[in-house]
Amino acid sequence: MALVFVFLGVSIFVHELGHFLLARKRGLKVDRFSIGFGPRIWGWKGKDGTDYRVSLLPLGGYVSLPQMADMEAIEGEASVPREKLPPLSFTDKLCVLLAGAGFNFIFAVLIATVLWIAGQPVSPETETTTIGYVVPRMHPQGDGRAVPSPAFEAGLKPGDKILAVDGSPVTRFSEITNYIMTGTGRAPDGRPQTVLTIDRDGKKSDVDVFPVLIQINPVSGDAVRRVGISPAQMLEVGRVLPGSPAEKAGLRVGDKILALDGKPLYHALPLLEKTGKGSPVQLRLENAEKLWDVTLTPQAIPITQPLAQLYLKDAKEGALSLFPSTDVGGLCVFSVENETYFSHISTNAPATLLSVNGAPAKTPQAFVDAVNAQTEKPVTLVFQNEGKDISIELPAGTSARIAPITVSAAGIEFSRATQIVHRSPYAQISDVFVITWRTLASLVSPSSDVGVSMLSGPVGILRVYHQLLSADFRLVLWFTVLLNVNLGILNLLPLPVLDGGHILFAFIEKLRRRPLPLNAMAWINGTFMLMLLGMILYVTFFDSRRWQGENRAENIALERSRYYIAPSFDKPPADTP
């Protein structure tokens, strides 16, 4: 965790160092060099008379320059009154004010150069613009009903190559996702709209797609535009399970799957969907030696420990599975296999069973007994999910039993190796500039669905650093490039308190040929500082909610993971423990 604070602190330090060095170079009086705001918690007095300190609130930093502006309300009292110090030229002000962002940009270039040499780990899927899978149905925010995905309705197909989003060329799938999310297009009826330029079989065309808002964090309420597409995957066999149909058919690690039932295959999901139904599949494979076809007949295997499973009348497969959650002290939904009745339940948040036919059922056996007690009558289940109670009535003939979840599978696991790319510093930084400007444009556009609450403050930045440190140090370097470019751009915005605001005031003073009134400047800077702190607190509140939602999702996934078992083709699945 200490390293997390170091990386964030270094980026702030670099910015303030730029102001400090240029101020010294131009002969300005420097009272304080502070990392953070508020009371001093550690520091020293330099021989040059400057108070070097670390302050209580880690919300940024400042270099106190009495000759630049009256900032005593924010930075504390100056050692020498401004009126007793020599006035600054317009050039002095401009150089010092631009130095902070300039140093951030220089630092970003240096880190980007290191990353260019070392290489950046990426998923191969993010480096393509080819659609691998079109999601058939999605659940828009605020509506539990599943609806056809925007991409499905627009007629997009696997294999389509996306060339541009709303006229902006794209070269990677991460850009496609970001451009759709920050889009500001609206249809005449008010729906979000985006135009995808695609290449299908060598023919270029524009396709109107109407994204829906998909909730990505149930606690913070964050929802973003999505259209329901996934990138094409490199379908290379990474493992063949012993005793599986794939092993018996002679598949080996490194084989590449090109087609499913005679049609090009761009994503693993169509294969998993078909094998999951137990249907035989014909695959076309390729390796360094040959190109051949093989037919696989999937085999049913258990993938979980025994769970409480619900079966609709005459159904051979479970419609709903529940597990005993230690967090809630009762049964929670493990998975939903049939959305006909359970489409309003979100498995991204705990869905706790409250009652079966009006009576509580806290254990798997109690649930099975309660459901099977009246198979000739409808069964009413009540769940608590995302802060609301959901009542579901199931038809007569519904039954339950304790059994593992079984799936039909061919025994293939695909390679998930990362790819190392060496992007030039120019490419890295220009990418960040584009993302930042698009985000800022979305924030101020009334037609977008991006709000201030979706921004990240100090808490969010620290969390991202912590996550990346546990993954790969090179990702930390990438995020440091992004953070420094963002710090540079945001500080140059023409708002009071920020460097850009001071630059704006310097231009106004030059045009009017006399200083702006000190009292007015102090009032404006003080007011905007309070507004800035208020916005940071507002963003921090949503950061903490976002953190809470992510932790909750991680805890749910961890609880469920304990019930999964390693797939094995050695013996047929048992229906009961």
Side-chain angles (χ1 to χ4, degrees):
M1 182 57 77
L3 278 175
V4 171
F5 283 96
V6 167
F7 275 99
L8 179 58
V10 165
S11 297
I12 296 171
F13 171 79
V14 165
H15 182 90
E16 300 307 328
L17 182 65
H19 291 314
F20 175 79
L21 293 179
L22 263 292
R24 285 289 189 215
K25 180 77 173 175
R26 309 295 294 193
L28 275 69
K29 169 69 175 173
V30 181
D31 269 351
R32 277 177 295 282
F33 186 118
S34 176
I35 301 300
F37 291 93
R40 181 180 192 260
I41 58 174
W42 179 80
W44 72 93
K45 191 85 168 183
K47 293 181 180 180
D48 55 4
T50 300
D51 177 13
Y52 299 91
R53 61 165 69 176
V54 175
S55 298
L56 181 62
L57 302 175
L59 303 177
Y62 66 90
V63 175
S64 180
L65 305 169
Q67 292 157 283
M68 291 288 293
D70 184 0
M71 300 287 287
E72 289 189 1
I74 302 166
E75 300 172 355
E77 185 177 350
S79 60
V80 180
R82 183 183 182 186
E83 57 270 17
K84 293 185 179 181
L85 294 169
L88 298 180
S89 68
F90 172 75
T91 304
D92 287 336
K93 291 182 179 180
L94 203 60
C95 288
V96 173
L97 290 169
L98 289 172
F103 267 52
N104 279 130
F105 294 143
I106 292 170
F107 187 55
V109 170
L110 293 176
I111 298 297
T113 301
V114 172
L115 195 53
W116 178 32
I117 296 169
Q120 179 181 342
V122 299
S123 167
E125 298 170 18
T126 66
E127 299 301 294
T128 182
T129 63
T130 300
I131 297 175
Y133 183 73
V134 176
V135 178
R137 300 176 72 78
M138 301 175 73
H139 291 82
Q141 183 192 30
D143 189 348
R145 295 178 302 105
V147 299
S149 75
F152 183 82
E153 287 194 312
L156 296 179
K157 297 180 179 179
D160 289 345
K161 184 175 182 180
I162 300 177
L163 306 177
V165 178
D166 293 326
S168 299
V170 290
T171 57
R172 297 190 303 280
F173 215 87
S174 55
E175 291 177 331
I176 296 170
T177 303
N178 180 268
Y179 287 13
I180 292 173
M181 182 179 68
T182 57
T184 58
R186 291 276 174 187
D189 60 4
R191 289 183 299 165
Q193 181 179 22
T194 189
V195 179
L196 301 182
T197 304
I198 67 168
D199 182 332
R200 178 182 295 171
D201 300 327
K203 296 180 181 179
K204 181 177 173 182
S205 62
D206 290 335
V207 180
D208 288 329
V209 186
F210 301 93
V212 293
L213 289 180
I214 299 296
Q215 190 175 77
I216 58 174
N217 191 305
V219 177
S220 66
D222 290 346
V224 297
R225 294 186 178 191
R226 291 282 189 264
V227 298
I229 54 175
S230 298
Q233 297 177 328
M234 181 180 66
L235 298 175
E236 181 178 301
V237 177
R239 183 187 174 206
V240 179
L241 298 185
S244 68
E247 184 188 57
K248 294 172 182 176
L251 271 70
R252 296 178 299 175
V253 173
D255 291 344
K256 295 179 181 178
I257 301 179
L258 305 180
L260 170 66
D261 294 335
K263 295 180 180 179
L265 186 65
Y266 298 95
H267 199 278
L269 277 176
L271 173 59
L272 297 176
E273 288 170 353
K274 188 156 188 182
T275 56
K277 296 176 181 177
S279 305
V281 293
Q282 185 182 58
L283 303 179
R284 168 153 291 190
L285 299 109
E286 178 187 52
N287 58 28
E289 303 169 359
K290 59 180 178 177
L291 177 71
W292 80 104
D293 293 328
V294 64
T295 299
L296 301 180
T297 301
Q299 178 182 325
I301 57 171
I303 60 169
T304 70
Q305 300 176 30
L307 302 170
Q309 290 204 56
L310 190 77
Y311 293 81
L312 299 175
K313 185 179 180 180
D314 299 328
K316 296 181 179 180
E317 297 180 351
L320 180 80
S321 302
L322 300 104
F323 71 103
S325 169
T326 54
D327 280 354
V328 302
L331 294 179
C332 275
V333 173
F334 185 86
S335 62
V336 173
E337 283 76 32
N338 187 316
E339 289 195 345
T340 303
Y341 292 95
F342 304 104
S343 63
H344 286 74
I345 291 180
S346 169
T347 54
N348 295 323
T352 307
L353 178 69
L354 298 181
S355 65
V356 179
N357 296 325
K362 297 288 187 180
T363 66
Q365 191 60 55
F367 172 78
V368 170
D369 292 342
V371 172
N372 291 339
Q374 53 177 50
T375 55
E376 296 180 0
K377 296 180 181 179
V379 176
T380 301
L381 306 180
V382 178
F383 296 90
Q384 186 175 71
N385 187 216
E386 296 186 330
K388 57 187 177 183
D389 291 354
I390 301 173
S391 180
I392 299 171
E393 183 175 301
L394 303 172
T398 297
S399 62
R401 60 176 171 165
I402 297 176
I405 295 177
T406 62
V407 298
S408 294
I412 302 169
E413 291 183 1
F414 292 103
S415 172
R416 289 291 178 262
T418 57
Q419 176 181 336
I420 304 299
V421 297
H422 298 268
R423 292 198 181 99
S424 70
Y426 173 79
Q428 294 177 56
I429 291 172
S430 61
D431 283 350
V432 177
F433 263 97
V434 171
I435 292 172
T436 304
W437 281 117
R438 286 188 65 92
T439 303
L440 289 173
S442 293
L443 281 172
V444 300
S445 172
S447 299
S448 84
D449 293 294
V450 176
V452 175
S453 64
M454 297 174 69
L455 298 179
S456 282
V459 171
I461 292 171
L462 288 172
R463 179 158 172 78
V464 172
Y465 263 129
H466 184 263
Q467 291 172 331
L468 297 181
L469 272 170
S470 357
D472 193 301
F473 187 76
R474 290 168 293 186
L475 295 177
V476 174
L477 297 180
W478 164 80
F479 189 70
T480 302
V481 172
L482 183 147
L483 179 61
N484 277 269
V485 173
N486 271 269
L487 282 174
I489 292 175
L490 294 177
N491 269 283
L492 291 178
L493 294 178
L495 300 173
V497 179
L498 301 179
D499 297 337
H502 292 309
I503 292 171
L504 176 63
F505 292 148
F507 271 103
I508 293 173
E509 287 181 339
K510 183 173 178 62
L511 292 174
R512 70 196 302 264
R513 297 183 180 178
R514 63 180 185 275
L516 292 166
L518 290 179
N519 290 339
M521 292 291 294
W523 183 86
I524 291 172
N525 284 322
T527 300
F528 270 83
M529 186 62 184
L530 289 175
M531 292 173 63
L532 179 61
L533 289 174
M535 190 188 79
I536 291 175
L537 290 174
Y538 177 76
V539 169
T540 299
F541 169 77
F542 280 95
D543 267 338
S544 62
R545 298 278 290 171
R546 201 170 291 120
W547 195 335
Q548 181 184 351
E550 291 172 2
N551 281 340
R552 194 171 74 176
E554 290 170 3
N555 290 337
I556 294 171
L558 180 61
E559 270 208 305
R560 288 177 180 148
S561 69
R562 297 191 185 109
Y563 286 87
Y564 282 103
I565 61 174
S568 173
F569 289 85
D570 293 337
K571 57 182 179 180
D575 286 343
T576 57

